[in-house]
Amino acid sequence: MYNVDSATVGDVAPYEVLLLGSSTWGVGDLQDDWEGFLPKLKKADLKGKTIAIFGTGDSSSYCDSFCDAIGVIYKELQNTGCTFCGSVPADGYSFDDSVAMIGGQFVGLPIDEVNEDGETGARIDRWINQLKTELS
């Protein structure tokens, strides 16, 4: 596990699978810690790597930008040669909009500990089982 505030591209080089996570701050903003690392990761050759993204957000107070950080990371890394896995249907989530939604699904796992904390454990368990299947 690495803190993106101090991580380097060399830190992720040995891994075939990357699980990237971030909270969404304010109205759809990526957590500040990613500001220095994401541009470097975007320039890296990620061919052969598989990436799954998860993030936290508040679907009530920020219903128009719920877990946008997941979508920001996804969009920034789209043309790096990596493969994405771990998309999640929007069923059961209460929100209005999110840049993390593509083709009717979240591009990663959204977690809302503020409003839907009773769902978190089951959502994580389903996602982990899904990743095991997708990565095998």
Side-chain angles (χ1 to χ4, degrees), residues 12-82:
V12 302
Y15 301 101
E16 294 176 17
V17 177
L18 304 176
L19 301 179
L20 305 177
S22 178
S23 58
T24 299
W25 289 15
V27 184
D29 296 327
L30 187 63
Q31 184 177 344
D32 290 347
D33 294 350
W34 278 94
E35 285 183 19
F37 184 63
L38 190 55
K40 294 173 189 170
L41 190 59
K42 182 179 177 178
K43 291 179 185 175
D45 180 7
L46 299 179
K47 289 182 185 109
K49 297 201 183 299
T50 301
I51 296 177
I53 310 168
F54 64 94
T56 59
D58 179 340
S59 64
S60 179
S61 298
Y62 299 98
C63 60
D64 291 332
S65 58
F66 177 56
C67 286
D68 276 1
I70 297 170
V72 171
I73 294 170
Y74 175 85
K75 288 177 182 179
E76 288 295 313
L77 299 181
Q78 269 188 307
N79 298 313
T80 61
C82 70

Side-chain angles (χ1 to χ4, degrees), residues 61-120:
S61 298
Y62 299 98
C63 60
D64 291 332
S65 58
F66 177 56
C67 286
D68 276 1
I70 297 170
V72 171
I73 294 170
Y74 175 85
K75 288 177 182 179
E76 288 295 313
L77 299 181
Q78 269 188 307
N79 298 313
T80 61
C82 70
T83 301
F84 292 97
C85 69
S87 62
V88 173
D91 302 341
Y93 288 91
S94 299
F95 69 102
D96 292 332
D97 197 19
S98 175
V99 299
M101 289 287 296
I102 296 179
Q105 293 197 6
F106 287 103
V107 295
L109 174 66
I111 298 171
D112 183 350
E113 277 291 287
V114 176
N115 305 290
E116 300 175 357
D117 59 319
E119 300 291 330
T120 299

